[in-house]
Amino acid sequence: MSGALKATSVPTGTWCALSVRLGEVYQDLLQPYLYWGYLQEDVLLGNLQTCLQPLMDSRQTGRSGYDVISPYGLPGLSSSGVFMLFRNDRFVNRLWRRSADAQRVLSDPNYLVWDEWWGTLKDPFPSVIARESKMGRLRTILADETPRRAPGRYDVHFWGDDLNVVANRSLVACWRDGAVYINTARDYHHMPCVGTAPPSLGAAYEVCLMHIVKLKHGVP
């Protein structure tokens, strides 16, 4: 418990500078793994395997996956502080060194938005990923671009959030059998975790992760 409390006390600026470097900082601990990643504490995780497995390397089949997996589905959003997954190899783990802002970020305790796209830095981490991808040295995918088909079920979306909570105050997220569902209509009684009916008619859909953007601050 003390370790968990201590982890939450890390300043935002320090974590921003550390998160994209975890692959290199903890290379010994990560050695057995094909991928590594990070996420924020305001994310609900569902069945990640459904969304991520088709995008990753497979030792069983020899499939070559992507080097960088971002949860957003819009061009330019190639890195997020919310959730990221990286191939565990030397080139990918040292991508942060290719940022012209690296030394500035590492020497400044303030949050400079190095890990995302919306700050004032000239060369944040998303720019590095986009540049290396354009030059063909990196395979990157915006995971929310393509809904995944769960075996024997309906399409599963990678990403969900509560940004429409003001227009839809009945927003509900729930778990069932390791999956997360969110409703898209005011009537949430037909969600598989709340009522008895499966998702249908747009009443609810499954997501692999849900970002709590507004509700964590309270609903006005």
Side-chain angles (χ1 to χ4, degrees), residues 74-86:
L74 296 174
L77 310 188
S78 54
S79 179
S80 162
V82 178
F83 177 94
M84 288 295 294
L85 203 66
F86 301 92

Side-chain angles (χ1 to χ4, degrees), residues 8-9 39 41 44 59 62 65 81 91 93 102-103 106 135 138 172 179 184 197-198 200:
T8 60
S9 67
L39 75 161
E41 71 280 3
L44 302 178
R59 286 172 172 158
F91 178 77
N93 293 350
Q103 291 302 317
L106 295 180
M135 297 183 72
L138 199 65
V172 172
T184 58
S200 61

Side-chain angles (χ1 to χ4, degrees), residues 83-96:
F83 177 94
M84 288 295 294
L85 203 66
F86 301 92
R87 180 194 301 279
N88 184 24
D89 71 22
R90 178 180 172 83
F91 178 77
V92 176
N93 293 350
R94 293 167 64 92
L95 278 174
W96 65 272

